[in-house]
Amino acid sequence: IAANIYAKPPLVKSGSTTVVKWQGREVTACTVVGTNGDQWEGTAGEKTSGIINEQTTYTLTCSVGGTPFARQATLTVTPAPFFQQEEPE
């Protein structure tokens, strides 16, 4: 039983977005909630975040059977407002 969440990239330019991926293994349901208002459901997924203007924390919570909050994982996405130049895609 496991729950994993990560962002690609985890460091973004302020005002842009990132892609959040998560996966629960041997779980029955998962919810992802971001401090920026993002909210998704599913035992696995890949979603584009909302605009990230400040440090944003995503919390992945997965339930197993009748046990809510059986597994939790957090992800922090940090904006960098001072890029000297555009990073190549």
Side-chain angles (χ1 to χ4, degrees), residues 4-84:
N4 297 296
I5 185 169
Y6 58 98
K8 195 175 176 181
L11 185 68
V12 300
K13 192 163 66 171
S14 185
S16 64
T17 62
T18 187
V19 174
V20 178
K21 297 183 180 183
W22 73 95
Q23 184 171 21
R25 195 160 46 81
E26 295 175 44
V27 297
T28 46
C30 297
T31 304
V32 178
V33 177
T35 52
N36 63 344
D38 286 340
Q39 184 166 344
W40 308 300
E41 293 186 7
T43 53
E46 181 175 331
K47 299 282 187 180
T48 300
S49 72
I51 298 295
I52 294 178
N53 289 315
E54 58 188 13
Q55 185 165 296
T56 301
T57 301
Y58 287 92
T59 303
L60 169 65
T61 304
C62 295
S63 56
V64 179
T67 309
F69 311 114
R71 284 289 182 275
Q72 278 194 305
T74 58
L75 159 72
T76 301
V77 180
T78 306
F82 43 80
F83 276 101
Q84 296 293 329

